[in-house]
Amino acid sequence: MSSSTEADHGAASSDDAAVAGAREKASAADRGAGSGPAAGAPPPAGPGAERSVPRWRRSLRPYLLIVPALLLTGGILYPFGLGLYYTVFDFAASKPQPDFTGLENYRRIFTDSSFWDSAWVTVLYAVGAAAVETVLGVAVALLLHRSTLVGRVLEKVLILPLMIAPVIAAIIWKLMLQPSVGVVNYLLRPFGLGGVQWTDTPTGALLSSIAVDVWVYTPFVAILALAGLRSLPTSPFEAAAVDGAGWWFTFRKLTMPMLWPYVLVAVIFRFMDSLKVFDIIYALTEGGPGDSTVVLQIRAYLEAIRFQRYSFGLSYMIVLWAVVYLAAMVLVRYLGRIQNRAAEVPK
Amino acid sequence: MTKRQASTRPKGALKRRVLGIAADGALILYFLFALFPVVWMVILSLKPGHELFSTYFSFTPTLDSYRTVLGAGEDEGVPFVRFFLNSLVVSLGAVGLSLVIGLPAAYAAARWRFRGSENLMFTLLSFRFAPELTVIIPLFVLYQQLGLFDTYLGMIWVLQLVTLPLIVWIMRSYFADLSPELEQAALLDGYTRKQAFFRVALPLVKPGIAAVSLLAFIFAWNNFVFPLILTSSQAQTVTVGALSFLGGDRPKYNLTAAAALVSVIPPLLLALTIQRYLVRGLSFGAVKS
């Protein structure tokens, strides 16, 4: 945080006490960036204009700027609170006059084996997707970092899958993975694997949906890891090369520890997003075959939207939200520790 | 340079070259995996209906699928062009609203520390990670009562969950990188705070605003779960519309492929223009390149 003022004092004091030389800096920036007052803009309000604004109004200013954002935040938090409120009733389309049921919905969920099945599938999906994307993404970043001609050409198209909507990606792979007419089995036929039932077996369906996730999001990890690699200091690597350190040693002892803060940001994003996966599963398997790919958000969708048991479906979401929130707190704290440690390393 | 080292050098060079070729080979393999599905979509979309399942790579290309998909989908009953325009309207609307609300908030959060600013920032960030249905299911009920179901306004409102956290977090990091001295110099020159913001700070972060707006647009455009549940026909978007060709007992692969391709054109074109800003955008300002 670079705050120009002392905390809670508004803009009053430091606006007046401008830093010497700021003027030259400002005009230099005007020339450099072509910024500053536009031609034909109204002239400044006059000397000391800012000082004539009463102090109380100046200290109120940050709050005024934030008000619209607060209103909107409220507009999002209200439905969330409403959802939380619904879960202690038995609100459903079949029951427009709901009764207060307390924690009954939650008791039902936790004693219901299908909740634990869904939770298990969700965890498998999130861990699987995040792990594969991390390994593959870092590998791709390392290969691109060598900056050969091939790499430079390919890097231009690296983001392509990432910009395709996940639901569209799932549709694309659904067409490709059709067992009888899909192109994947056609290409595998020479290898004697022409009849794989990709999305028609429980294991296959889960692996296929993870594969789609990997296809879309590996570039995400690769982009962040590549940015990390390019910002690492070069001297440790030069020293290692002089000492004749092997590639594996350098990677383990130098590259990975320094790169980890960058990769960790990507891992956190991917893990948290995979916990709430919806689009890919919806378009690829709709939770099938059986219940084998019904992750928690799909389960909530089926309960609340398809069967219109609003309260019960929402209870699933509140539980998932709590899990995601806790996971976020733990991971972000860990990230903070890692980044602090990285900051201590002299560059 | 001793003799012995000299004699081992060619050997080392050969090993390096083989390894280099292997590394490039591995890269090409990954990119085949990454790009083939898109190429295959192009092929599928150009196939005539009767050759869909009889051939793989040899066929007579035709633009019929695109004509059907873009021809208001008369024969299929899927108004795809309308969905496309809907996506455009709600994505632009969501980004516009987020900019109006988010830029002042981002500036305030970067320039002042005051009670509640950090809490607000983290609340916004938690929107980014919240499972969407937690908010959508109550909104589904609420929108029906308020008449916002299946409307542009309803979609633009809920898309703030996607666009606002992104815009506020990234713009705060851009404003924070800006030296406050520039604005102070403007104040010395007799500008008001408001003028300093609009004429000094804002022009300097223009590239950041452009990049983050495009990225927010892409995410809004690619969203699926909001329109799936909160629209039915009037405000339905391309991501939901692309699924309609798969329905029925005879899924139309060529039409689906054409629809999928048409729907990814805007995000792909925009993505190419913001390559340089992607790292900061994708990591919410956590990683700067």
Side-chain angles (χ1 to χ4, degrees):
Chain A
M1 280 301 305
S2 69
S3 170
S4 63
T5 67
E6 306 95 288
D8 286 328
H9 262 295
S13 46
S14 70
D15 282 349
D16 304 341
V19 183
R23 242 179 237 258
E24 289 95 281
K25 257 195 195 159
S27 53
D30 284 353
R31 284 193 299 274
S35 67
E50 180 60 22
R51 231 173 296 181
S52 64
V53 178
R55 199 190 175 98
W56 64 269
R57 260 187 57 193
R58 265 187 272 175
S59 55
L60 211 62
R61 195 175 276 133
Y63 295 99
L64 289 177
L65 290 176
I66 289 262
V67 161
L70 276 176
L71 284 177
L72 202 127
T73 309
I76 298 294
L77 286 177
Y78 173 70
F80 175 78
L82 191 67
L84 198 58
Y85 174 75
Y86 281 157
T87 60
V88 293
F89 290 86
D90 57 355
F91 183 34
S94 59
K95 217 171 163 197
Q97 300 297 331
D99 293 317
F100 179 80
T101 54
L103 297 176
E104 174 62 20
N105 283 322
Y106 295 101
R107 195 195 62 75
R108 261 179 68 200
I109 284 180
F110 287 125
T111 53
D112 183 358
S113 68
S114 68
F115 165 79
W116 295 106
D117 290 347
S118 284
W120 176 236
V121 172
T122 308
V123 168
L124 275 182
Y125 182 97
V127 171
V132 175
E133 281 152 24
T134 305
V135 173
L136 196 56
V138 171
V140 169
L142 285 169
L143 290 170
L144 287 174
H145 189 52
R146 292 163 48 256
S147 196
T148 55
L149 179 65
V150 174
R152 278 199 299 275
V153 171
L154 290 180
E155 199 190 323
K156 301 239 181 306
V157 290
L158 176 64
I159 56 162
L160 184 82
L162 185 60
M163 292 299 143
I164 291 175
V167 64
I168 302 287
I171 292 173
I172 292 175
W173 281 91
K174 192 188 175 95
L175 302 191
M176 289 174 48
L177 290 173
Q178 292 291 343
S180 53
V181 294
V183 70
V184 171
N185 275 357
Y186 169 78
L187 292 175
L188 288 176
R189 223 163 278 164
F191 306 99
L193 289 166
V196 184
Q197 301 284 314
W198 293 103
T199 52
D200 299 343
T201 64
T203 314
L206 186 60
L207 289 177
S208 301
S209 39
I210 291 176
V212 177
D213 203 290
V214 166
W215 184 72
V216 176
Y217 290 107
T218 297
F220 175 81
V221 183
I223 287 169
L224 293 193
L226 194 57
L229 281 169
R230 284 178 179 160
S231 61
L232 294 185
T234 52
S235 52
F237 294 95
E238 286 156 7
V242 169
D243 291 346
W247 176 87
W248 178 239
F249 180 88
T250 311
F251 174 74
R252 238 177 15 147
K253 295 288 181 196
L254 281 178
T255 318
M256 216 48 221
M258 286 199 283
L259 193 61
W260 188 231
Y262 294 91
V263 176
L264 190 59
V265 171
V267 174
I268 290 174
F269 267 85
R270 287 313 314 134
F271 180 71
M272 309 275 297
D273 278 349
S274 311
L275 281 176
K276 58 182 182 108
V277 60
F278 181 87
D279 307 13
I280 290 175
I281 305 263
Y282 182 92
L284 192 74
T285 68
E286 279 211 77
D291 269 0
S292 57
T293 49
V294 175
V295 290
L296 282 165
Q297 274 224 110
I298 294 281
R299 173 79 66 197
Y301 170 82
L302 293 174
E303 284 292 344
I305 306 294
R306 193 103 9 123
F307 309 136
Q308 303 198 309
R309 295 193 280 257
Y310 308 124
S311 285
F312 191 57
L314 267 165
S315 310
Y316 272 101
M317 287 323 298
I318 297 295
V319 172
L320 177 60
W321 169 81
V323 170
V324 168
Y325 209 85
L326 284 174
M329 272 167 66
V330 171
L331 287 170
V332 168
R333 194 158 297 167
Y334 173 59
L335 177 69
R337 273 220 313 276
I338 294 282
Q339 285 185 328
N340 285 339
R341 202 178 307 157
E344 285 161 19
V345 175
K347 292 224 163 159
Chain B
M1 217 27 104
T2 65
K3 256 194 187 144
R4 228 181 78 234
Q5 276 170 319
S7 67
T8 57
R9 249 177 53 210
K11 211 165 134 193
L14 181 71
K15 189 179 157 192
R16 255 206 307 279
R17 262 188 68 181
V18 170
L19 277 177
I21 291 169
D24 278 346
L27 258 190
I28 289 169
L29 265 182
Y30 167 77
F31 277 92
L32 275 177
F33 162 71
L35 301 179
F36 177 75
V38 182
V39 174
W40 182 244
M41 276 310 98
V42 176
I43 290 175
L44 265 190
S45 70
L46 295 173
K47 275 190 180 186
H50 62 272
E51 283 189 80
L52 256 186
F53 304 122
S54 52
T55 63
Y56 283 92
F57 291 97
S58 59
F59 59 95
T60 339
T62 163
L63 289 174
D64 282 352
S65 300
Y66 291 94
R67 275 191 206 101
T68 310
V69 167
L70 298 177
E74 291 306 329
D75 22 5
E76 297 299 330
V78 180
F80 197 74
V81 173
R82 187 193 166 115
F83 296 159
F84 193 92
L85 294 175
N86 286 348
S87 279
L88 209 58
V89 171
V90 298
S91 305
L92 281 175
V95 172
L97 182 60
S98 283
L99 282 176
V100 170
I101 291 170
L103 282 176
Y107 183 70
R111 282 286 177 262
W112 292 282
R113 279 219 181 91
F114 50 92
R115 236 164 279 124
S117 66
E118 285 305 300
N119 286 343
L120 179 75
M121 289 300 287
F122 276 105
T123 307
L124 279 176
L125 189 63
S126 75
F127 288 170
R128 164 69 183 70
F129 290 115
E132 296 86 350
L133 284 162
T134 320
V135 172
I136 298 187
I137 296 168
L139 278 182
F140 176 71
V141 177
L142 211 58
Y143 273 17
Q144 313 251 17
Q145 295 165 352
L146 297 174
L148 285 170
F149 181 79
D150 203 20
T151 61
Y152 287 153
L153 190 62
M155 274 302 294
I156 288 170
W157 180 260
V158 76
L159 278 173
Q160 295 306 309
L161 271 175
V162 177
T163 52
L164 190 70
L166 185 80
I167 285 177
V168 171
W169 269 81
I170 296 170
M171 286 323 297
R172 177 173 80 157
S173 89
Y174 275 106
F175 282 127
D177 285 353
L178 209 59
S179 165
E181 292 166 5
L182 297 173
E183 289 142 68
Q184 281 159 6
L187 295 177
L188 272 187
D189 285 343
Y191 284 79
T192 61
R193 252 288 163 186
K194 196 163 97 187
Q195 288 172 316
F197 169 71
F198 277 107
R199 291 204 225 136
V200 180
L202 219 47
L204 284 172
V205 293
K206 244 189 218 152
I209 295 176
V212 76
S213 304
L214 292 184
L215 197 59
F217 179 91
I218 292 170
F219 286 149
W221 179 280
N222 283 347
N223 189 285
F224 170 71
V225 67
F226 298 142
L228 175 74
I229 295 171
L230 299 176
T231 70
S232 59
S233 58
Q234 295 302 307
Q236 200 181 102
T237 62
V238 281
T239 43
V240 183
L243 275 169
S244 7
F245 296 104
L246 277 177
D249 44 1
R250 297 222 40 199
K252 299 166 186 68
Y253 285 17
N254 45 354
L255 299 185
T256 307
L261 277 173
V262 170
S263 72
V264 299
I265 289 169
L268 285 184
L269 287 182
L270 295 180
L272 291 176
T273 62
I274 52 167
Q275 290 252 29
R276 276 179 45 227
Y277 301 91
L278 268 178
V279 170
R280 195 191 283 226
L282 292 173
S283 66
F284 268 61
V287 177
K288 294 169 190 173
S289 55

